[in-house]
Amino acid sequence: ACAQGKCGGTAIDVAKVCDDSNVCTSDTCDPKSGCAHAAAAGNCDDGNACTSGDACAEGKCVSGTTTCSCQKDSDCADNGNLCDGTPFCDKSAMPYVCKTNPATIVTCPDPSDPQCAQVACDKTSGKCVTSNSTDGSPCDADKNACTAPDKCNAGTCTKGAAVDCDDKNPCTTDSCDPAAGCKHANNTDPCDADGNACTKNDVCASGSCTPGTAQKCDDNEPCTQDSCNPTDGKCIYKPIATTCSDNNICTVGDTCGTDATSQVYTCLPGKAVSCDDNNPCTINTCDKDKGCQYPVDQTATVTCYSGPNGTSGKGLCKSGKKTCDASGNLSQCTGEVVPASKELCNSVDDTCEGVTDEGCAPTSFVARIGNATVAGTSGNLTARVGVGMSQAAGPSVGSGSISGNFGFYAWIRKIIGL
C-alpha cells in the first residue's frame, strides 16, 4: 500500500510462511526471490524405528545403522527342524528381534525307564520317538551298591547279583553298605606276620598284620654282636674283635678284650689323653663327657728371675713371682732382686757372686787381747775390759787412746757429777 508517497507493507513471519517441514533445511526469506531452503547439517529421524544415528545430508534425512534383526516374520530364517518351533518377528519392543513361538516347540514325555531308554523328537517328522539303550548297558536298578552289575534289558534296568566283598585280608572286617558299597574296616585281631620266634604278639594294625615286640637281645656291650635265633627266640651274644668306645673321651685306642678282673669280654679303655696346655695358670683335667678342661687357678704363682744363672739366692739377689688373673694370664714378674752392676763396700754381696766387698780395703776389725775385747772402724776404736767384777768401756780419744771408768769409783763420780 502507498503511504506518504512510498509503497510499503508488513514483514512476513518467516518461521510460519517459509517452513517446508524439513529438518534438514534452513528456512529463510530472500527480499528478491522470497522463501529459500538451504541444506543444513544435523541429526534427524527417517521415521524407521529400526535405524539409529540418522543424519541430514544434502537437505535430506539419511537412514543410520539398522538395529532390528527383523521387521517382518519372513525376515526370520527357519532351520527346517520341526521339533524346535517356528520363528517369528517380535515387534513388541524395540529393537525388533526374531524369536521362536513356544507353542510350536515339540516336548516329548519321559521314558518309563530313563536309565535304559530315551525319548526324542524327530526333527523331520516333528514326532516323539522312543529309543532303548543297548542290552547289557550298565544301570542301577535298585539304588543298592551291594548288587552288581545291574544291566539294561529291552529298555528296562534289571538288578544284578549280590557283590562279593571279601578282600582276603584277615586284618579287615568286610561288609557292604547299600549306599557306599563294599567296606573293609580295619580290625585288631591277632595274626602271624612273619613266622619269627623273635617277635611276640603279632597283631593287626592299620589293615596289615604287624610284627609284635622284638625279643630284646641287647647286653649293652659294644664288643658283642647281639642277635636272636628266629627258630627258638633265644638270644645270641657273639664276641667280636674290634675297636670300641668306653664312653670316656679321656681315653684313646679303646679295644675289645677280656677284663682281667671280671673276666667279662667288654670294651677295655685305652691310653689317657694328654691335657697339658703348658699354662701354669690352669688346672689340667679331663671330663669323660666333655674332654680336656682347663679351669683357671688364680692362686697359682710362678717363680721368675731375670738375673744370670746361679745368682738367685746369693747376696742380695732373690727370685720374684708372677700371679695369675681370672683369664688365665700371667702378670709381670714382681719382687725379684738381680745383681748390681758393681760391688759396693758395704759388707753386703751386691753382685751376688758369693763374695762380700771384693776389692775393698779393710774397714773394721775385731781382736781379743787378754781379757779385753777391742773392736772398731777406721779412726774409731772401742774397748771392753773386765777388771775384777767390773767392766770398763769407752771410745778412743785423740790419737786412739782409750779412757776407762772402773768399778765403784766410776759409780760415785757419776752420782756427784765429777
Side-chain angles (χ1 to χ4, degrees), residues 20-365:
D20 62 356
S21 300
N22 185 352
V23 296
C24 291
T25 59
S26 176
D27 303 328
T28 61
C29 184
D30 185 287
K32 294 181 180 180
S33 60
C35 290
H37 309 285
N43 298 328
C44 61
D45 185 355
D46 64 355
N48 187 346
C50 288
T51 60
S52 63
D54 304 337
C56 294
E58 298 181 355
K60 295 181 180 180
C61 187
V62 179
S63 301
T65 303
T66 300
T67 59
C68 296
S69 61
C70 64
Q71 296 191 44
K72 55 184 180 299
D73 291 347
S74 59
D75 293 337
C76 299
D78 192 342
N79 60 8
N81 187 342
L82 300 181
C83 296
D84 60 3
T86 302
F88 73 100
C89 186
D90 185 2
K91 300 180 181 179
S92 61
M94 288 298 297
Y96 303 160
V97 293
C98 290
K99 293 184 178 180
T100 300
N101 184 355
T104 61
I105 298 175
V106 178
T107 302
C108 296
D110 293 332
S112 58
D113 193 340
Q115 295 184 90
C116 295
Q118 297 177 347
V119 178
C121 178
D122 184 352
K123 63 181 180 180
T124 303
S125 64
K127 295 181 179 180
C128 293
V129 177
T130 300
S131 299
N132 293 333
S133 300
T134 303
D135 287 350
S137 298
C139 60
D140 187 358
D142 50 8
K143 305 299 180 183
N144 187 344
C146 295
T147 59
D150 299 345
K151 298 179 181 179
C152 292
N153 183 20
T156 302
C157 187
T158 304
K159 183 173 69 173
V163 174
D164 182 6
C165 292
D166 185 5
D167 62 359
K168 311 300 180 184
N169 184 353
C171 289
T172 60
T173 300
D174 305 325
S175 63
C176 189
D177 185 297
C182 289
K183 288 187 175 182
H184 310 284
N186 296 336
N187 59 46
T188 56
D189 295 344
C191 58
D192 184 3
D194 50 14
N196 188 344
C198 292
T199 57
K200 307 295 182 181
N201 302 320
D202 298 350
V203 67
C204 289
S206 300
S208 299
C209 188
T210 304
T213 304
Q215 176 74 23
K216 186 176 181 180
C217 290
D218 184 6
D219 61 356
N220 295 316
E221 278 292 346
C223 293
T224 59
Q225 183 178 15
D226 305 334
S227 61
C228 178
N229 188 332
T231 302
D232 58 14
K234 292 183 178 180
C235 292
I236 302 172
Y237 305 108
K238 180 181 178 181
I240 55 177
T242 183
T243 58
C244 58
S245 174
D246 62 354
N247 297 320
N248 184 349
I249 60 178
C250 294
T251 60
V252 293
D254 305 339
T255 57
C256 293
T258 301
D259 184 87
T261 302
S262 65
Q263 295 301 307
V264 174
Y265 193 80
T266 184
C267 187
L268 303 179
K271 295 181 179 180
V273 299
S274 175
C275 289
D276 187 3
D277 64 353
N278 295 315
N279 186 350
C281 290
T282 59
I283 301 172
N284 302 323
T285 63
C286 189
D287 184 275
K288 71 181 187 69
D289 297 317
K290 299 179 181 179
C292 290
Q293 304 292 306
Y294 306 101
V296 174
D297 181 7
Q298 289 187 256
T299 65
T301 59
V302 176
T303 300
C304 55
Y305 184 69
S306 59
N309 291 336
T311 59
S312 178
K314 292 182 179 181
L316 295 177
C317 295
K318 63 177 181 178
S319 299
K321 68 176 181 178
K322 296 181 179 181
T323 59
C324 298
D325 64 15
S327 299
N329 299 316
L330 283 172
S331 68
Q332 296 294 322
C333 187
T334 60
E336 70 170 342
V337 179
V338 298
S341 60
K342 60 183 294 186
E343 185 73 31
L344 302 178
C345 297
N346 56 1
S347 300
V348 177
D349 182 7
D350 300 293
T351 57
C352 304
E353 295 176 343
V355 180
T356 302
D357 294 346
E358 66 267 29
C360 295
T363 58
S364 64
F365 70 94

